[in-house]
Amino acid sequence: MNITRENKDALNAVITVSVTKDDYRQKVDKVLADHRKNASIPGFRKGAVPMSLIQKQYGKAVLLDEVNKLLQSSLNDYLAKEKLDILGNPLPKVTEDFNWDADDFSFEFELGLAPEFSVDLGAKNSIVKYNIIADDKMLDEQVERIQKQYGKLVSKDTVEEGDDIVGTFTNEEKGINNSTTITTEIFKDKKTAKKFIGKKVGDIVTIGTKGLFDDDHKLMDHLAVSHDDVHGLDVEVNFTIEEINTHEKTELNQELFDKLFGEGNVSSVEELKAKIKEDAEQQFAQQADQKFLNDVTESLIANTKFDLPNEFLVKWLQTAGENPLTPEQAEEEFKKSENGLRYQLIEGKVMTSNNLQLSFEDLKAYTAEVIKKQMAQFGQLNPTDADVDGIVARVLSNKDEVKRLSEQVMSEKLLNLFKENVKYETKEVTYENFIKEMYGE
């Protein structure tokens, strides 16, 4: 067997595999001999069927199968030996007049080669890394929410300002049908709020969606419309009142503090706000990190220039999935997936260049932290190492979980690398302003 490669250009190559009869004859003869031992053909004893009949019945199929196996193993060995970084899989070139009755064969495969490029993490960009703070307004709102949440719920007959109104928003044309709880304070326009005052259970209030809330994104929560639909949504919706409740606020006392944070951990309103601020800003930091990671990803895709073997990849996509694609469908699919492929290559380059590796110890440690946080949410603040290790072992016995957690660990490693090496501007914002900036508003 002989394998040669011709580089058409920096991104495309053709491999030619020449197979002689000596390369496959022994394996084909062995398979046919096994068929002969087990063949059951009328007029012949088992194992005594003439080889000419076996050859006639099975010869061509066995030849194709064994040559195909030989091609696959030889190609894989060649790619590994030559350390070729390819995209997709080798594509066999179709030969219309291929002769399977010959003794020797020649097969050609097209290759799409990964491009050579470098990634400059320190390049100039317009990335902003947000530091999100919980301001006094948010803290006061959270304290009031806690007081209401742990206060006494009182059912009412008539809506007054500040009441919780349980009901369903509907609009048949837009497919809106969502149960939610609102208060009169949530509306941007006081005239809208006044429409609810004095209403009773069973009453229907009709209001317009345009400018309904101070932030259009609240339409996603209360009307269950998508983000793409919230901007400029201008329809009338009906709100059917189903319950009217008010909360008698609970006192801010030690009993409440202990219930919230454990005995003796918080002993004043100031400490309560400090604890709320700490917990909130930890969550905000995760959201800010995710946006930073997304922004760095977009910047790297936009600013790291390299060519791809587009024509090859479109051709490969036609047969890569479960269902074959037309050239037009493959072209469209390539356009959709191109940025994802580009970032895979960039990410791989960054990981290799910076020696980012994932060890099993990294995975175990990360999984243990995830487990501890989940247990804390259910009140298990001090689990034993044995309990945590047992859960970690069960989680890591699941291949899907290992894959998911491994991706999270590597994402965290990349995030830390970007924080250290990417140039960015730091900006302190409230959570409210962060949401507006995140959606470009």
Side-chain angles (χ1 to χ4, degrees):
M1 179 182 294
N2 184 42
I3 301 180
T4 58
R5 181 175 86 250
E6 179 186 0
N7 290 334
K8 299 296 184 181
D9 54 43
L11 299 173
N12 296 275
V14 173
I15 285 182
T16 302
V17 182
S18 300
V19 180
T20 67
K21 189 173 183 178
D22 289 341
D23 295 322
Y24 61 80
R25 181 174 53 190
Q26 279 189 330
K27 290 184 178 180
V28 170
D29 288 347
K30 182 180 184 305
V31 174
L32 290 175
D34 290 339
H35 276 298
R36 186 185 184 203
K37 290 177 184 177
N38 299 304
S40 179
I41 297 178
F44 298 97
R45 296 193 317 274
K46 187 175 181 179
V49 178
M51 180 56 78
S52 60
L53 286 179
I54 297 296
Q55 176 70 39
K56 183 178 180 180
Q57 186 168 354
Y58 300 107
K60 185 61 68 68
V62 170
L63 173 65
L64 266 64
D65 188 48
E66 291 303 318
V67 169
N68 184 57
K69 289 179 183 177
L70 185 61
L71 283 173
Q72 293 301 319
S73 62
S74 300
L75 265 178
N76 291 336
D77 291 344
Y78 177 82
L79 295 174
K81 180 182 178 183
E82 296 293 314
K83 297 180 180 179
L84 290 179
D85 192 2
I86 67 171
L87 302 178
N89 293 313
L91 285 178
K93 295 185 72 173
V94 178
T95 304
E96 297 294 338
D97 57 349
F98 193 85
N99 182 15
W100 281 102
D101 292 322
D103 289 335
D104 300 335
F105 310 109
S106 181
F107 303 90
E108 290 186 333
F109 295 86
E110 296 178 72
L111 297 184
L113 304 176
E116 290 292 333
F117 63 94
S118 60
V119 181
D120 184 5
L121 294 180
K124 186 177 179 180
N125 59 63
S126 58
I127 295 172
V128 174
K129 186 177 181 301
Y130 291 94
N131 177 28
I132 310 172
I133 61 168
D135 59 355
D136 290 339
K137 177 186 174 185
M138 171 176 277
L139 297 178
D140 290 340
E141 289 174 349
Q142 289 299 310
V143 170
E144 184 172 0
R145 183 189 62 78
I146 289 171
Q147 285 185 277
K148 285 186 176 182
Q149 180 181 346
Y150 288 89
K152 183 180 178 182
L153 184 67
V154 179
S155 180
K156 298 179 61 179
D157 296 324
T158 305
V159 176
E160 295 181 89
E161 191 172 335
D163 289 342
D164 289 340
I165 311 167
V166 180
T168 302
F169 277 112
T170 57
N171 177 290
E172 187 174 347
E173 179 187 354
K174 291 293 184 180
I176 297 170
N177 190 324
N178 190 59
S179 297
T180 187
T181 300
I182 60 173
T183 66
T184 54
E185 288 90 348
I186 197 172
F187 300 115
K188 183 178 180 180
D189 187 352
K190 290 184 179 180
K191 291 181 180 179
T192 302
K194 286 182 179 179
K195 289 185 177 183
F196 286 83
I197 303 300
K199 298 297 183 182
K200 297 182 179 181
V201 172
D203 287 346
I204 298 175
V205 181
T206 301
I207 53 179
T209 58
K210 187 175 181 180
L212 185 59
F213 304 121
D214 58 357
D215 181 353
D216 282 344
H217 295 102
K218 291 180 181 178
L219 293 170
M220 297 166 62
D221 298 324
H222 294 293
L223 275 65
V225 294
S226 69
H227 180 261
D228 292 338
D229 293 332
V230 298
H231 302 291
L233 183 66
D234 187 7
V235 297
E236 286 194 334
V237 290
N238 292 325
F239 185 87
T240 303
I241 300 175
E242 295 161 1
E243 291 181 30
I244 305 168
N245 301 306
T246 189
H247 288 264
E248 292 181 357
K249 294 182 184 178
T250 189
E251 291 184 25
L252 296 172
N253 54 28
Q254 193 61 48
E255 182 181 356
L256 176 64
F257 300 153
D258 290 347
K259 184 184 294 185
L260 292 170
F261 301 106
E263 189 172 347
N265 290 316
V266 171
S267 57
S268 66
V269 175
E270 289 72 22
E271 291 181 6
L272 170 64
K273 288 185 176 181
K275 183 64 176 174
I276 294 172
K277 183 178 178 68
E278 178 186 353
D279 292 345
E281 290 182 354
Q282 284 181 357
Q283 295 180 32
F284 295 162
Q286 294 175 8
Q287 295 182 53
D289 281 348
Q290 186 59 56
K291 176 164 176 56
F292 175 71
L293 187 59
N294 293 343
D295 290 345
V296 171
T297 297
E298 291 180 6
S299 177
L300 289 175
I301 292 173
N303 297 309
T304 306
K305 305 298 183 182
F306 54 83
D307 293 325
L308 292 171
N310 295 8
E311 186 177 337
F312 168 85
L313 290 170
V314 170
K315 192 184 297 185
W316 171 68
L317 283 170
Q318 291 179 53
T319 58
E322 291 183 9
N323 300 313
L325 301 178
T326 65
E328 294 76 19
Q329 289 173 326
E331 182 75 37
E332 188 63 29
E333 183 63 28
F334 174 70
K335 290 177 181 177
K336 292 178 183 177
S337 60
E338 182 179 357
N339 278 349
L341 173 58
R342 286 183 176 277
Y343 186 66
Q344 284 181 15
L345 293 171
I346 292 169
E347 185 180 68
K349 178 72 71 173
V350 169
M351 290 165 59
T352 301
S353 301
N354 293 276
N355 196 31
L356 291 187
Q357 298 178 350
L358 175 64
S359 69
F360 188 65
E361 290 305 314
D362 291 336
L363 186 58
K364 282 177 61 178
Y366 180 83
T367 305
E369 288 304 311
V370 171
I371 297 300
K372 288 177 183 177
K373 288 177 182 177
Q374 291 176 343
M375 295 176 78
Q377 291 177 353
F378 293 96
Q380 294 177 267
L381 302 177
N382 296 298
T384 65
D385 290 342
D387 288 340
V388 174
D389 289 345
I391 298 173
V392 168
R394 289 197 297 274
V395 170
L396 296 184
S397 66
N398 183 308
K399 290 183 179 179
D400 291 336
E401 283 297 296
V402 169
K403 181 177 183 296
R404 183 179 67 84
L405 290 165
S406 296
E407 289 172 352
Q408 291 180 5
V409 175
M410 188 52 69
S411 179
E412 191 172 274
K413 286 177 177 285
L414 283 166
L415 174 65
N416 292 331
L417 178 73
F418 293 156
K419 284 180 179 180
E420 293 175 3
N421 294 277
V422 172
K423 294 179 180 179
Y424 56 84
E425 173 194 351
T426 302
K427 187 173 184 179
E428 187 173 278
V429 293
T430 64
Y431 184 70
E432 183 178 355
N433 288 334
F434 171 72
I435 293 298
K436 290 180 180 179
E437 299 218 18
M438 187 168 68
Y439 289 106
E441 299 174 2

